[in-house]
Amino acid sequence: MSEFICPSDINKTGATSLDERDRAIVLATQEGLPLVADPWAAVGEQVGMSGNEVLSRMQTMLERGVIRRIAAVPNHYRLGYVANGMTVWDVADAEVERLGREVATIEGVSHCYQRPRHRPYWPYNLFAMLHGRTREDVERQAQVLRDCLGDACHDHRILYSTRILKKTGLRLTGKDAQTVSTENDARG
Amino acid sequence: MNFLEFDAQDRAIVNRLQNGLPLVLHPYAAVAEELGVSEEELLARLTRLRDSGVLSRFGPMYHAERMGGGLTLAALAVPEADYERVVEILNNVPEVAHNYRREHTLNMWFVLATESSERIPQVVTDIEVATGLPVFNMPKEREFYVRVHLSV
């Protein structure tokens, strides 16, 4: 529960490339981890490594932050969280870092980022995801954020998701697959 | 199976495993002990929760940037008459990891995840060419928090 992910300014300098063996583990596990008593050995069988090597490499990737965590990702809708609102806020640039950190501590916020504006069309620079069982829940949470942001906030919107069009998570593609995908893009 | 149909044990498992599986030799046995169930029971319930779609997935969350990869959020304003055509184009792009319809003129929001950060601009351009629509690219400038935890 107390997990806190570091701010992105560390991310930019913290990038590490994967060696071929790490990469094989990522490819074998990006769809999920086997639900068997010894998942490391099961992954190891797929990639030609011992279970111990898989475990030790995954521990290192976790320490380096390459893996955020190994966890269950609930389907919001199936759990009754049918109101998923991306709240977007136009916050004074001088205040956005301080306020972003505050907003991130508010209960119910699952992701919080500063992103670029596209003025005049898109004036919003602070994004916070909220999840509720009803839109009223989300609006109540959004009001807490609004109060926290105070005068530094000029405008805001709640963009509810109304359809999941695709949800696969991160995918590494093999070198060959990447060539194929580029060709597909060109044909698209 | 919907959220009303799973029992207290299922709820405890979902709540516990959103926080992460320990990286130990027999991780499911360790969690089972914490929760007071057998390892077999935990694995059976997890399998059922995953296969019935209560869990979207179970496994490692990789951090694209830490792997040298690229990640960005982008949006399109798609004319309604064109919506399904554009869905098909985007969903066929392997680098599109998530795609949501949202209520706004910018009505299609997607996450691009690429193996190298240099590839993001190329994929953005490819999508603009294929759809004929301008992509509003909104890469994160700062990350304040990422921790999805839905109590059930």
Side-chain angles (χ1 to χ4, degrees), chain A residues 1 3-12 14-18 23 25-26 29-40 52 55 58-59 61-62 64-81 84-86 96-97 100-101 104 109-116 118 121-122 124 126-127 129 131 133 135 157-175 178 181-182 184-185 188, chain B residues 1-4 6 11 13-15 17-29 39 43 46-48 50-73 77 83-85 87 89-109 113-116 119 122-123 126-127 129-131 135-152:
Chain A
M1 286 296 290
E3 179 190 25
F4 184 81
I5 306 298
C6 55
S8 67
D9 34 4
I10 300 174
N11 299 347
K12 296 235 163 64
T16 48
S17 56
L18 301 177
R23 199 169 174 283
I25 293 171
V26 175
T29 59
Q30 60 189 352
E31 303 276 354
L33 194 71
L35 293 173
V36 295
D38 190 346
W40 322 121
N52 279 340
L55 175 57
M58 289 190 88
Q59 277 165 338
M61 285 194 273
L62 190 73
R64 285 155 67 202
V66 169
I67 297 175
R68 289 179 186 271
R69 65 191 187 289
I70 299 174
V73 182
N75 178 330
H76 295 187
Y77 293 87
R78 295 293 293 276
L79 293 175
Y81 288 84
N84 296 289
M86 182 175 74
V96 69
E97 179 162 9
R101 289 178 193 280
V109 173
S110 69
H111 297 75
C112 186
Y113 299 106
Q114 183 184 346
R115 298 186 183 278
H118 288 268
Y121 195 66
W122 185 260
Y124 309 104
L126 185 67
F127 289 54
M129 285 300 310
H131 310 280
R133 296 192 190 275
R135 290 194 176 194
R157 296 282 307 248
I158 305 176
L159 279 67
Y160 290 103
S161 63
T162 53
R163 201 174 134 202
I164 300 173
L165 305 169
K166 184 176 185 182
K167 188 169 186 174
T168 56
L170 175 67
R171 284 287 179 278
L172 290 190
T173 51
K175 296 273 185 282
Q178 187 141 334
S181 75
T182 306
N184 283 344
D185 290 351
Chain B
M1 186 177 179
N2 66 42
F3 77 100
L4 293 171
F6 60 54
R11 287 165 203 269
I13 289 169
V14 172
N15 283 333
L17 284 176
Q18 287 183 73
N19 292 327
L21 187 75
L23 273 161
V24 297
L25 195 55
H26 292 288
Y28 299 109
E39 185 185 30
L43 285 168
L46 258 180
T47 302
R48 185 168 49 85
R50 187 194 56 190
D51 293 351
S52 66
V54 170
L55 301 181
S56 306
R57 63 188 294 272
F58 180 83
M61 319 280 140
Y62 287 103
H63 191 320
E65 292 102 328
R66 290 283 174 86
M67 296 193 294
L71 197 68
T72 194
L73 175 71
Y83 206 85
E84 294 309 316
R85 178 185 72 91
V87 168
I89 292 169
L90 255 72
N91 287 2
N92 280 325
V93 176
E95 289 88 351
V96 172
H98 296 181
N99 190 9
Y100 288 90
R101 182 176 179 115
R102 293 191 182 278
E103 290 177 346
H104 190 268
T105 317
L106 291 177
N107 55 4
M108 193 178 292
W109 287 80
T114 58
E115 272 203 66
S116 71
R119 196 167 145 69
Q122 183 59 52
V123 177
D126 289 349
I127 290 172
V129 169
T131 62
V135 168
F136 290 78
N137 188 16
M138 303 184 205
K140 74 180 174 196
E141 293 175 327
R142 282 200 188 87
E143 176 177 304
F144 300 110
Y145 197 62
V146 183
R147 193 187 61 76
V148 184
H149 190 286
L150 301 174
S151 294
V152 299

